[in-house]
């Protein structure tokens, strides 16, 4: 631990804090034991005395009996009361529905009145004895009986009355009666929420009873929801407010949905409904800060739907979405936060709380975002349309790529949204504005249906502008405001870098946090220029393939597009910064590859000549890598990847494949001159030269490859031996690997295709000698190469006999032997694993 206190002083401090923690733990354990006795002591026993450390505890004398109160939430009691109330309710319902007809009208009235009166009066006496839970159960039974009374009254006394009308009136009467009953017995929690629930029915059912349509029903639902809002604002019980909130949400949501539907079909009927719903919602948002954001968002959406519905019939169909977008942006401007020097914003800030401003701005921004989503399909068509090719390359035909089902106003929506975001001095807004400008330029050729030349020019200009912004993103950050770090009660204050232990915290931490001896640096935030630069760079990279695909219609356009992109990407690689330089350099290599392929196609080259032309790309990247250090490795790797399709194109002509492999080996050998590339490039060059030799021998149909490989192997082994004498640390793979592989590999291939025995025998003897030399002098390359060649050569010789023996054996014997082998290996698995590891370690220790 790094601190400035002597060890003795620090030990005293630690012991003191541990003692304080032990004392606090003992106090909490004693308190816990007293609480357990208080909770689980029998009702007839003496109540436990007050906790010694609890000041103000009421003393209880010996034998004092606590008041009987069943309001304590004991699970067993609640289960019994709930079951009893449920059974009584079921009995009452069964009596009303089944046994009602066996009694006369007088008996029915007497029974209903007596039972209901008793059920409603019993809670009064129960509450006097503090039997709250029992009173709740009996009161719930009384409320159910009142519903049954209403049902029975309709069946007996008013059978001709319309069901909806009677239900609406009965719900209103019951809601009033339950409200009065719950207000009189305020300790009961059930009657008032049930009254609120019943109050949701009278107006909507009354409208349906008189034959009102969807509009009238929506107005009735809205009036009921407004009443629920009043209950939420001016009542205190939580259960009542929750019930009213559920009702207001359901009925108010229905009114809003109906208003939105009417704004599309009958705007002058839907707009008043939407505005009438928005007004009380805003009032609730102002009175309840916790619901300010959600309520003001709903009100804002209702206002936008109302205004857009009124304006929509006055504009053409193509302008419907832009009208809603403009209404949403207007609402967002009303709810925007105030800024210094902005009189309108300051006035709005004084009138509206922060939550309401946020909700209104979010609603307007949400509408505008939906409009942007509506305008995105032309962007996808402008980007992906050229890649869905239906004509030949360089055919001169330009198929129609415009999406005729989308109007030109989609571009207007993107332009307006981009302009609005550009005016917001925040990084996220500038990023959104930049993305929308790129989308606008991409979609612009689609919606108006521009000519081919203008479309291609616009796509190239879009790519050029994006790459230019990636190089110089400074103008995009002009006017940005960087947020200051928040300082508040929860923000830790910086400690002085003195190494003195900090004071104990207010929360009772053992001895507080140690002040650091030096300040810890904070993680740097991303610079706005970096974020915007990467966003612009990504847009340019996405637009580039689309421009190239579009340019494939015309030969001259193809060369123009590829040349322009090559210049732009090289410019970013030279003038850019950070990882963008690397990505641009690799993209420039791929663009140069496309340019080479285009030149070869224009000149009518066959595939094998095109393969040789493609090798110019890795040669150029090797030359560039020697000079451009920051991007050298990625550029060279990209160039090496380009060589792979070159080999594939030359495979149809083995002679050209050998030439291509040899030229690639020359490029790798030239790269190996550089010290930082020597190890990997030299091995690559050796492999390519060997492959070129093998392919050339196969082309010449050479039956004795050793005549060509041994003159190479012998000098190579001599050079390796001399190097090992000068440098004892040199690896055997570097000294002897290329020379041995140059002969062993072709000879092994020839031996596998040779039906005679002299070649396999000679190869086996040579491989055995190489293996023994490797084991004797502890040379890894000789041991691995010689052993592998010896094993493969022996397998070739034994293969016919193995096949013959397997054919003569019973068919069940090979699986049985394989099973026994697996069992033996499994039984000695750990030992075999140790043997394999020991062998691996021994081989690894060789040079």
């Amino acid at each position: 631990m790094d601190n400035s206190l002597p060890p003795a002083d620090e030990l005293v401090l630690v012991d003191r804090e541990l003692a304080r923690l032990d004392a606090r733990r003992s106090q909490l354990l004693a308190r816990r034991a007293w609480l357990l006795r208080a909770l689980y002591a029998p009702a007839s026993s003496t109540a436990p005395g007050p906790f010694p450390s609890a000041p103000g505890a009421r003393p209880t004398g010996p034998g004092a009996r606590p008041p009987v109160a069943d309001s304590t939430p004991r699970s067993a009691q609640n289960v019994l009361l709930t079951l009893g109330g449920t059974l009584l309710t079921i009995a009452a319902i069964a009596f009303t529905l089944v046994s009602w007809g066996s009694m006369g009208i007088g008996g029915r009235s007497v029974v209903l009145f007596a039972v209901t009166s008793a059920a409603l009066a019993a809670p009064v006496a129960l509450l006097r004895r503090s039997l709250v839970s029992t009173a709740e159960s009996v009161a719930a039974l009384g409320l159910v009986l009142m519903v049954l009374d209403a049902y029975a009254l309709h069946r007996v006394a008013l059978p001709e009355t319309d069901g909806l009308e009677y239900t609406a009136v009965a719900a209103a009467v019951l809601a009033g009666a339950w409200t009065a009953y719950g207000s009189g017995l305020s300790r009961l929690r059930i009657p008032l929420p049930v009254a609120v629930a019943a109050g949701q029915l009278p107006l909507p059912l009354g409208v349906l009873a008189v034959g009102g349509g969807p509009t009238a029903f929506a107005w009735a639902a809205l009036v009921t929801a407004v009443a629920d809002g009043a209950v939420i604002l001016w009542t205190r019980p939580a259960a009542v407010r929750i019930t009213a909130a559920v009702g207001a949400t359901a009925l108010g949501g229905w009114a809003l949905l109906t208003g939105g539907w009417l704004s599309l079909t009958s705007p002058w009927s839907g707009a008043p409904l939407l505005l009438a719903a928005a007004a009380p919602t805003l009032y609730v948002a102002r009175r309840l800060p916790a619901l300010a954001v959600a309520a003001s968002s709903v009100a804002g959406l209702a206002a936008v739907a109302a205004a857009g519905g009124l304006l929509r019939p006055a504009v053409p169909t193509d302008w419907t979405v832009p009208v809603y977008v403009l209404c949403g942006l207007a609402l967002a401007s009303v709810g925007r936060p105030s800024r210094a020097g902005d009189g309108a914003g300051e006035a709005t800030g004084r009138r509206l709380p922060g939550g309401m401003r946020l909700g209104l701005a979010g609603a307007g921004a949400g509408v505008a975002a939906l409009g942007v989503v509506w305008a995105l399909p032309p962007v996808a068509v402008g980007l992906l349309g050229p890649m869905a090719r239906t004509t030949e390359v360089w055919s001169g035909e330009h198929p129609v790529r415009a999406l005729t089902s989308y109007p030109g106003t989609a571009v207007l929506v993107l332009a307006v949204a981009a302009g609005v975001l550009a005016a917001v001095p925040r990084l996220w807004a500038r990023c959104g504005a930049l993305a929308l400008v790129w989308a606008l330029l991409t979609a612009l050729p689609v919606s108006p249906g521009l000519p081919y030349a203008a479309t291609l020019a616009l796509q190239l200009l879009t790519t050029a502008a994006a790459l230019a912004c990636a190089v110089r993103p400074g103008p995009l950050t002009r006017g940005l405001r960087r947020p200051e770090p928040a300082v508040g009660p929860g923000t830790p204050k910086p400690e002085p870098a003195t190494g003195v232990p900090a004071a104990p915290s207010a929360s009772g931490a053992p001895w507080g946090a140690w002040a650091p001896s030096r300040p810890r640096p904070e993680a740097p935030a991303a610079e706005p220029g970096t974020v915007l630069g990467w966003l612009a760079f990504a847009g340019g990279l996405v637009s580039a393939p689309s421009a190239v695909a579009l340019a494939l219609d015309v030969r001259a356009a193809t060369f123009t597009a590829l040349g322009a992109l090559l210049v732009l990407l090289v410019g970013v690689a030279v003038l850019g910064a950070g990882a963008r330089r690397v990505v641009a350099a690799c993209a420039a290599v791929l663009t140069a590859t496309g340019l080479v392929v285009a030149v070869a196609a224009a000149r009518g080259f066959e595939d094998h000549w095109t393969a040789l032309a493609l090798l110019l790309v890795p040669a150029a990247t090797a030359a560039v890598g020697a000079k451009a250090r920051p991007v050298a490795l990625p550029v060279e790797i990209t160039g090496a990847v380009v060589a792979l399709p070159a080999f594939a194109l030359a495979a149809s002509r083995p002679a050209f494949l050998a030439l291509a492999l040899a030229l690639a080996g020359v490029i790798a050998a030239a790269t190996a001159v550089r010290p930082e590339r020597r190890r990997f490039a030299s091995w690559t060059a050796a492999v390519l030269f060997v492959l070129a030799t093998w392919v050339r021998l196969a082309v010449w149909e050479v039956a004795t490859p050793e005549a060509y490989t041994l003159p190479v192997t012998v000098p190579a082994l001599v050079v390796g031996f001399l190097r090992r004498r000068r440098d004892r640390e040199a690896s055997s793979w570097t000294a002897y690997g290329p020379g041995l592989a140059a002969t062993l590999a072709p000879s092994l291939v020839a031996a596998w295709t040779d039906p005679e025995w002299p070649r396999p025998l000679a190869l086996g003897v040579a491989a055995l000698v190489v293996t023994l030399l490797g084991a004797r002098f502890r040379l890894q390359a000789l041991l691995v190469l010689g052993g592998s060649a010896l094993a493969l050569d022996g397998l070739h010789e034994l293969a016919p006999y193995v096949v013959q023996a397997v054919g003569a054996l019973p068919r069940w014997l090979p699986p049985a032997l394989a099973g026994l082998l697996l069992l033996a290996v499994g039984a000695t698995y750990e030992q075999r694993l140790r043997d394999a590891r020991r062998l691996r370690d021994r081989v690894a220790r060789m040079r």
Side-chain angles (χ1 to χ4, degrees):
M1 181 180 293
D2 183 14
N3 58 76
S4 60
L5 289 179
D9 295 343
E10 183 183 357
L11 182 60
V12 171
L13 180 63
V14 171
D15 291 339
R16 185 184 306 159
E17 296 298 330
L18 289 175
R20 188 178 66 82
L21 289 176
D22 290 339
R24 180 59 177 167
R25 184 173 184 274
S26 300
Q27 182 184 10
L28 292 176
L29 288 175
R31 178 67 179 177
R32 180 177 183 274
W34 184 87
L35 291 173
L36 289 175
R37 290 196 303 271
L39 286 175
Y40 298 108
S44 61
S45 63
T46 303
F51 188 68
S53 62
R58 292 186 302 168
T60 56
R65 193 177 170 84
V68 179
D70 65 343
S71 58
T72 304
R74 296 193 180 101
S75 58
Q77 180 189 29
N78 291 336
V79 169
L80 293 176
L81 292 175
T82 303
L83 289 177
T86 303
L87 292 176
L88 288 175
T89 303
I90 293 175
I93 294 174
F95 172 78
T96 304
L97 297 180
V98 178
S99 301
W100 183 258
S102 61
M103 300 179 65
I105 185 63
R108 300 171 189 172
S109 302
V110 171
V111 170
L112 277 178
F113 179 77
V115 174
T116 305
S117 301
L120 294 177
V124 178
L126 293 172
L127 289 176
R128 291 176 181 174
R129 300 190 60 185
S130 299
L131 299 175
V132 180
S133 298
T134 307
E136 292 279 2
S137 300
V138 177
L141 175 62
L143 300 182
V144 174
L145 289 174
M146 291 182 71
V147 176
L148 295 177
D149 290 343
Y151 168 75
L153 181 63
H154 178 263
R155 289 289 303 271
V156 175
L158 302 171
E160 303 298 330
T161 307
D162 181 71
L164 286 177
E165 293 180 0
Y166 181 81
T167 304
V169 174
V173 172
L174 290 175
W178 290 342
T179 302
Y181 185 73
S183 300
L185 300 178
S186 59
R187 296 179 66 184
L188 296 179
R189 294 171 296 178
I190 295 178
L192 290 179
V194 174
V196 173
Q200 313 300 311
L201 302 177
L203 283 179
L205 293 182
V207 169
L208 293 179
V210 298
T215 304
F217 183 83
W219 277 104
L222 178 59
V223 172
T224 306
V226 171
D228 290 331
V231 172
I232 296 172
L233 293 176
W234 293 309
T235 57
R236 296 185 61 85
V240 175
R241 301 177 68 182
I242 292 174
T243 306
V246 173
T249 303
L251 295 177
W254 181 267
L256 288 172
L257 291 177
T258 305
W261 172 69
L262 290 175
S263 69
L264 299 177
T265 58
S266 178
W268 291 102
S269 298
L273 181 60
L274 289 171
L275 294 177
T281 307
L282 282 177
Y283 183 77
V284 171
R286 192 176 187 89
R287 289 291 305 272
L288 298 178
L291 301 177
V293 176
S296 57
S297 298
V298 173
L301 292 175
V304 171
L310 292 176
L311 295 175
R312 183 177 51 83
V315 297
T317 305
D318 294 348
W319 287 83
T320 300
V321 174
V323 163
Y324 281 98
V325 170
L326 292 177
C327 293
L329 293 177
L331 179 65
S333 66
V334 171
R336 75 184 187 278
S338 60
R339 290 183 291 171
D342 186 358
E346 292 175 358
T348 303
R350 287 192 297 266
R351 289 194 302 267
L352 297 178
M356 294 184 64
R357 292 202 308 270
L358 181 60
L360 293 176
V367 174
L370 291 177
V372 170
V373 172
W374 171 82
L376 287 182
V379 180
V381 173
L383 189 64
L384 303 177
M387 299 180 185
R389 176 163 298 281
T390 58
T391 58
E392 295 290 334
V393 176
W394 295 348
S395 63
E397 300 178 5
H398 313 303
V400 178
R401 294 186 174 90
L403 190 63
T404 55
S405 62
Y406 260 83
T409 51
V411 177
L412 177 62
V413 171
L414 294 174
V416 171
V420 171
L421 287 179
V424 179
R426 289 289 185 268
L427 178 59
W428 63 267
R430 293 292 172 84
C431 292
L434 182 60
L436 288 177
V437 169
W438 173 84
L440 167 66
L441 295 176
T442 304
L444 190 59
V446 175
S447 296
L450 295 179
Y452 174 77
T455 301
L456 179 60
L458 187 58
Q459 288 210 359
L460 291 176
L461 288 176
T462 301
T463 305
L467 295 179
C469 292
V471 175
R472 293 286 182 260
L476 299 176
T477 63
R478 190 170 301 154
L480 278 182
R481 291 189 294 171
R482 292 175 174 82
E484 297 293 334
V487 179
T491 306
K493 296 181 179 179
E495 298 286 347
T498 59
V500 180
S505 62
S507 60
W511 71 83
W514 287 92
S517 58
R518 63 184 62 182
R520 297 178 62 182
E522 297 182 356
E527 288 293 330
T530 303
V531 176
L532 291 169
W534 271 110
L535 186 61
F537 185 61
L541 291 182
V542 172
S543 296
S546 180
V548 173
L550 183 63
L552 292 178
D553 289 349
V554 180
R555 178 180 301 183
T558 302
F559 287 102
T560 302
L562 289 173
L565 289 176
L566 182 61
V567 172
L568 290 172
L569 291 171
V570 170
V572 175
V574 174
L575 302 176
R580 291 196 292 273
R581 298 184 62 186
V582 176
V583 178
C586 297
V589 173
L590 298 179
T591 304
T593 303
L595 196 58
V596 170
V597 173
V599 171
R603 301 293 297 176
F605 288 174
E606 297 183 10
D607 289 347
H608 52 277
W609 288 110
T610 303
L612 297 181
L614 279 177
L615 293 178
L616 295 174
V617 176
T621 56
V624 171
K627 302 294 182 182
R629 297 293 180 181
V631 297
L633 183 60
V635 165
E636 291 178 38
I637 292 175
T638 307
V641 171
V642 172
L644 298 179
F647 299 152
L649 289 174
S652 59
R653 301 286 293 271
F656 279 89
L657 177 59
L659 179 59
L661 291 170
L663 292 177
V666 172
I667 297 172
T671 306
V673 175
R674 294 156 52 192
E676 69 275 10
R677 301 285 186 267
R678 182 166 298 161
R679 181 178 181 85
F680 181 78
S682 60
W683 275 99
T684 304
V687 171
L688 290 172
F689 283 136
V690 170
L691 290 176
T693 303
W694 294 348
V695 173
R696 176 54 64 181
L697 293 178
V699 172
W700 288 342
E701 298 181 355
V702 173
T704 310
E706 294 82 3
Y708 299 91
T709 58
L710 284 176
V712 176
T713 296
V714 174
L717 294 177
V718 172
V719 171
F721 177 76
L722 295 177
R723 180 179 179 183
R724 287 271 297 176
R725 290 188 61 183
R726 292 194 307 268
D727 183 11
R728 303 299 299 177
E729 298 297 326
S731 172
S732 62
W733 288 98
T734 304
Y736 306 119
L740 289 175
T743 294
L744 289 178
S747 299
L748 186 61
V749 174
W752 270 76
T753 58
D754 192 350
E756 302 297 333
W757 61 269
R759 184 191 301 277
L761 178 61
L763 177 61
V765 172
L768 177 62
V769 172
V770 172
T771 304
L772 294 176
L773 290 175
R776 170 64 181 81
F777 296 102
R778 301 179 59 83
L779 298 176
Q780 189 181 93
L782 274 67
L783 183 63
V784 173
L785 291 176
S788 300
L790 183 61
L792 292 175
D793 185 67
L795 179 63
H796 171 264
E797 293 303 309
L798 293 177
Y801 302 103
V802 172
V803 172
Q804 183 178 2
V806 170
L809 291 175
R811 303 188 67 175
W812 57 266
L813 188 57
L817 294 176
L820 291 176
L821 177 62
L822 291 177
L823 289 176
V825 173
T828 60
Y829 175 76
E830 294 295 335
Q831 182 61 37
R832 301 288 79 80
L833 192 60
R834 286 193 294 270
D835 294 341
R837 289 172 179 170
R838 192 178 300 112
L839 177 62
R840 181 197 63 187
D841 295 339
R842 289 178 180 176
V843 174
R845 285 194 295 269
M846 296 181 178
R847 300 298 301 174

